Amino acid sequence: MARDVEDEIAGEPTDLVIVDCMLFNAQDAAARTGVPYVVLFHSFFAAFDGAFRHGPFGIGSRLRGLGPKRLWEQADMRLVCSDRVLDPAARRRTDGSLTWTGAIHDAKAAAVGRTPPRVLVSLSTAGFPGQRRTYQNIFDAAAEMDAEFVVTTGPAIDPTGLRVPSNATVHRYVPHHELMPTCSAVVGHGGHATAFRALAHGLPILIMPMSAVTDQAMIAREVAKVGAGIRLRKTASPEQIRAALESLLTDDGHRTAATQLGVRLRTVDGASAAADRVLTLVDH
């Protein structure tokens, strides 16, 4: 990847490199060429600067001379494409090169829901241990509820063999932006993109983190803290899942918190804000 970056810069005049925060080799290559570069953080900065940097990924990178902290801090700009209010990192002092642009989403208005309520279920396109069991527990919970469930499994889980109740449909893929405007709640794993798309639509979320070494648990904790969702273990029983979903669908507190958060998220176009910031480095 580093060679690819160097070859591209050598082959074509380059004013700026924009690179994801996890691509350490690419950041290092950009720094060696002397071309300004921007690092994009696609979730909470607290998650990357915490468990990620201090965990196996960060340790392995430091052993190869690619310490995340050094590479991030020598960038010309660091953009956190997430919500500053919910990101724990924003509550501590940071230097001026770190900027929150707002979450990037495609919600234009609050979800309107339907009767009976529709619940979207999606536990990541990546595979995690125990994920199939979690899907089955969700199906078993759904079977006893007066609600419609739309489940997207992605390529990681083959739905063949799962016991699917009559009030649920299973798809390998359906664009979530097509479903969320008619939903009343979402069940997710705490992935940043799905969680903030749901919140931008004003939808309360049941978050069941699939991995302890990613940002999922932190997102679940922060969303639950503001009342816009409920956090459960991925091993939660059908009874626990059903109780949480019924609370999300009937409790005005969760709905109000998610609605208010959605209004705030929709007032910021995170993609445009990020682009405007990037252009300040090349707009001479």
Side-chain angles (χ1 to χ4, degrees), residues 131-197:
Q131 195 169 358
R132 188 177 183 85
R133 179 70 255 176
T134 302
Y135 271 117
Q136 188 58 66
N137 286 343
I138 293 170
F139 283 133
D140 292 345
E144 303 297 323
M145 296 183 64
D146 182 20
E148 174 194 358
F149 287 77
V150 181
V151 182
T152 60
T153 64
I157 298 294
D158 182 353
T160 303
L162 290 171
R163 299 185 306 277
V164 180
S166 59
N167 60 334
T169 56
V170 184
H171 309 269
R172 298 302 286 266
Y173 173 75
V174 177
H176 287 172
H177 71 269
E178 295 180 2
L179 297 171
M180 285 188 182
T182 61
C183 287
S184 297
V186 171
V187 181
H189 64 297
H192 189 272
T194 300
F196 275 85
R197 174 176 277 149

Side-chain angles (χ1 to χ4, degrees), residues 40-217:
L40 295 183
F41 295 87
H42 55 267
S43 185
F44 288 166
F45 182 74
F48 287 113
D49 197 40
F52 176 79
R53 182 165 69 85
H54 297 294
F57 296 106
I59 293 171
S61 297
R62 286 196 297 275
L63 291 175
R64 300 197 308 275
L66 298 171
K69 183 177 175 64
R70 173 181 65 83
L71 292 169
W72 296 341
E73 290 186 347
Q74 71 186 19
D76 295 84
M77 184 180 291
R78 295 178 291 162
L79 296 182
V80 184
C81 300
S82 187
D83 180 64
R84 184 185 182 106
V85 176
L86 290 186
D87 189 343
R91 299 165 201 160
R92 60 178 187 259
R93 186 174 180 178
T94 57
D95 65 77
S97 72
L98 188 65
T99 301
W100 279 262
T101 67
I104 296 174
H105 59 81
D106 50 20
K108 304 301 182 185
V112 296
R114 58 169 59 182
T115 303
R118 169 184 279 180
V119 178
L120 170 63
V121 180
S122 180
L123 301 179
S124 179
T125 55
F128 295 99
Q131 195 169 358
R132 188 177 183 85
R133 179 70 255 176
T134 302
Y135 271 117
Q136 188 58 66
N137 286 343
I138 293 170
F139 283 133
D140 292 345
E144 303 297 323
M145 296 183 64
D146 182 20
E148 174 194 358
F149 287 77
V150 181
V151 182
T152 60
T153 64
I157 298 294
D158 182 353
T160 303
L162 290 171
R163 299 185 306 277
V164 180
S166 59
N167 60 334
T169 56
V170 184
H171 309 269
R172 298 302 286 266
Y173 173 75
V174 177
H176 287 172
H177 71 269
E178 295 180 2
L179 297 171
M180 285 188 182
T182 61
C183 287
S184 297
V186 171
V187 181
H189 64 297
H192 189 272
T194 300
F196 275 85
R197 174 176 277 149
L199 293 170
H201 280 91
L203 296 172
I205 318 174
L206 170 57
I207 302 182
M208 306 176 72
M210 294 289 110
S211 170
V213 298
T214 66
D215 58 344
Q216 298 168 20

